Amino acid sequence: MSDVPEVKPPVVTPVRVVIALCLFAPFVAMLWVGSYAKTDPAFIGIPFFYWYQMLWVIISTALTMTAYQLWQRDQRARAAAKDGVEA
């Protein structure tokens, strides 16, 4: 038996903060209605209110994909550290 305590990686890391921001940003953008509750500027005849929301569908997809890739990389690094192999 060893008296050396097991060292666990921290729960909150910079990568996990970035993941949280990627997932939180679309909620803030859509819940802050005052920022896009207007008709101008129109884009190819579509009022700002509509094209802004559709743009956030694309942005949200990209941010979610980024968060997922970062999460996978974080989990692989933690598994490698747990097995004693550096990532």
Side-chain angles (χ1 to χ4, degrees), residues 2 6 11-13 17 24-25 27 30 38 40 42-43 49 51 53 56 60 62-63 72 75-76 80-81 87:
S2 173
E6 181 180 336
V11 176
V12 179
T13 63
V17 170
F24 189 64
F27 288 104
M30 290 293 94
K38 52 190 172 185
D40 289 329
F43 177 70
F49 180 80
W51 69 259
Q53 290 183 21
W56 269 101
S60 297
L63 289 172
Q72 291 296 320
Q75 293 302 303
R76 283 192 302 268

Side-chain angles (χ1 to χ4, degrees), residues 1 5 7 9 16 18 22 29-32 34 37 39-40 45 47 53-55 58 63-65 76:
M1 276 199 171
V7 178
R16 288 186 174 192
V18 170
C22 285
M30 290 293 94
L31 291 176
W32 185 22
T39 57
D40 289 329
Q53 290 183 21
M54 291 300 107
L55 181 63
I58 296 166
L63 289 172
T64 302
M65 288 174 25
R76 283 192 302 268

